[in-house]
Amino acid sequence: TQFGDTLDDTHNFSGSLNVVGNITSSGNISSSGQLYGNILNARTRVKAIGSSLEFAGNELNFVDGGSTGYLFRGIVNGAFEAYHSANKKLETTAGGINVTGHITSSGNISSSGTIEANGDFIVNSSGRVGINTTSPDYKLDVAGNVGVNEYIYHNGDSNTYLRYQADQVDLSAGGNVATLKDNGFSINHI
């Protein structure tokens, strides 16, 4: 049976419509209920309230109903992408997970491998922190200048420290302080 014999080409069914074979449409197929079956078309869109599901070849896309931007995409080889305001924020790849933007956590973030931020900051699997180096030799390895407001202490030994002040550096060991100022050098013994 071929439809299209009325002026508006609209046909309503009050029960079920069972089709053996294919349904082909150059326009929309809509339902207030559910549609079942295999999606054979290379680009099929199933519209939901406020958003839509889109099957495109090997992809499954969740599209924002208010725009043409993606919300989520399931793409070939099991990869997944998440979007915010049509901008990709997260993607899975064979090498891991890539995030664009900030990661915020109210709990712990842990890794059995390396955590790296563009090579400027790294925490390797040995617990070593590198700043401007991807191969830290010590627990903290800074390849560049370090700014310190005032004190650098020896752990567990509060009277052994380096202290920086305006035009003055103090070196203390066991309470004995050597002071270098812009006008000279002095040593205080306890």
Side-chain angles (χ1 to χ4, degrees), residues 41-170:
N41 181 317
R43 185 166 177 83
T44 302
R45 179 173 280 195
V46 179
K47 192 138 187 144
I49 297 172
S51 62
S52 64
L53 279 174
E54 184 177 272
F55 301 90
N58 292 329
E59 298 180 4
L60 170 62
N61 303 315
F62 293 84
V63 181
D64 183 353
S67 70
T68 57
Y70 294 114
L71 297 172
F72 302 101
R73 296 181 72 200
I75 55 180
V76 294
N77 299 324
F80 172 81
E81 297 173 344
Y83 292 76
H84 183 269
S85 298
N87 295 308
K88 186 179 357 175
K89 295 297 182 177
L90 180 138
E91 68 178 332
T92 61
T93 66
I97 299 174
N98 299 322
V99 176
T100 302
H102 299 284
I103 297 175
T104 303
S105 171
S106 60
N108 296 330
I109 297 176
S110 61
S111 171
S112 60
T114 298
I115 298 173
E116 184 174 345
N118 294 328
D120 295 333
F121 175 83
I122 188 170
V123 180
N124 69 17
S125 58
S126 300
R128 293 181 175 175
V129 177
I131 299 174
N132 262 1
T133 178
T134 56
S135 302
D137 294 319
Y138 304 98
K139 284 292 184 182
L140 175 61
D141 193 336
V142 179
N145 297 327
V146 176
V148 176
N149 284 347
E150 195 167 353
Y151 287 95
I152 299 176
Y153 286 99
H154 178 245
N155 288 333
D157 188 5
S158 63
N159 62 1
T160 300
Y161 57 83
L162 278 171
R163 181 180 184 196
Y164 299 91
Q165 300 179 74
D167 298 324
Q168 179 178 329
V169 177
D170 297 332

